[in-house]
Amino acid sequence: LVGRLLFILAAFTVLYSYAMFRGGFVSWLLFYSFLPFLFYAILVFFYPLNFFKAERIIDKKVYENGDSLTFEIKLTRRLLFPISYLMIEDCLPESLTANQCKVMVFTFFRKSLSRKFTIGQLPRGEHVFKEVKLTTSDFLGFIKKDYTIQVNNKIVVYPKVSKVNLSA
């Protein structure tokens, strides 16, 4: 990550020196047009993703085999900063690896957001949800940041209950 910051500073230095030595309209246009992107990349580098707090809301704790699970992930943050995009990935337990809960959200200045996920055909057993992973980047992809939030939830999936007719 520090190497990428050095790359951004080197790109700034190269563009500035090109504009200074070459001169003219085109070189200064190139410098000033990339300046906001480089400045934003530096701000993303220093923005701490641990300002995000996550909460997973599951309606029930007990399900039957074959039911579908719908849950909601709510994110809130303390410091407003224009994040261009945020990838929210719910790291599912190994017993539910056939499903993937990942979504891209354009947050910009929103202080809180929520997304609903659905997992169909739950297998039997106990399923423990442990973490939510957040990924963001600057506009050009120079700086990429990941942050994992521990959010523990547990559901139990029992076998399907069938009624037995005892009358002969």
Side-chain angles (χ1 to χ4, degrees):
L1 198 59
V2 175
R4 291 180 184 249
L5 180 65
L6 292 175
F7 174 74
I8 290 171
L9 294 176
F12 172 77
T13 306
V14 166
L15 286 172
Y16 181 72
S17 60
Y18 176 71
M20 286 297 292
F21 291 120
R22 175 77 174 141
F25 176 75
V26 175
S27 60
W28 283 107
L29 177 71
L30 186 66
F31 174 72
Y32 283 121
S33 63
F34 271 101
L35 195 61
F37 295 106
L38 297 175
F39 182 67
Y40 181 75
I42 292 172
L43 289 178
V44 167
F45 178 79
F46 288 111
Y47 181 74
L49 286 180
N50 61 0
F51 284 163
F52 279 95
K53 302 294 180 214
E55 178 184 9
R56 185 183 298 110
I57 300 169
I58 300 175
D59 294 335
K60 301 186 306 184
K61 302 294 181 204
V62 177
Y63 292 88
E64 287 186 355
N65 186 21
D67 286 351
S68 64
L69 167 67
T70 301
F71 61 94
E72 182 178 9
I73 293 181
K74 286 189 176 182
L75 292 174
T76 57
R77 60 180 169 164
R78 292 185 285 162
L79 180 64
L80 289 179
F81 179 75
I83 294 177
S84 58
Y85 78 91
L86 187 68
M87 289 288 293
I88 304 169
E89 180 181 2
D90 192 3
C91 300
L92 298 176
E94 292 178 10
S95 55
L96 299 174
T97 55
N99 300 298
Q100 185 177 10
C101 295
K102 188 185 241 185
V103 68
M104 179 191 283
V105 180
F106 299 103
T107 58
F108 294 108
F109 283 106
R110 281 190 268 175
K111 192 167 186 143
S112 66
L113 58 105
S114 66
R115 289 294 180 259
K116 289 191 176 197
F117 297 98
T118 301
I119 300 173
Q121 300 293 323
L122 290 173
R124 294 184 339 195
E126 182 179 69
H127 308 289
V128 180
F129 298 86
K130 293 185 179 179
E131 53 193 28
V132 174
K133 183 178 176 184
L134 304 176
T135 305
T136 190
S137 175
D138 63 318
F139 292 117
L140 299 176
F142 291 137
I143 302 293
K144 292 183 182 177
K145 296 181 86 173
D146 293 330
Y147 181 61
T148 303
I149 304 172
Q150 297 295 322
V151 182
N152 294 319
N153 294 93
K154 179 174 73 170
I155 64 168
V156 178
V157 180
Y158 289 116
K160 195 86 156 154
V161 177
S162 302
K163 291 192 176 191
V164 177
N165 190 2
L166 294 177
S167 61

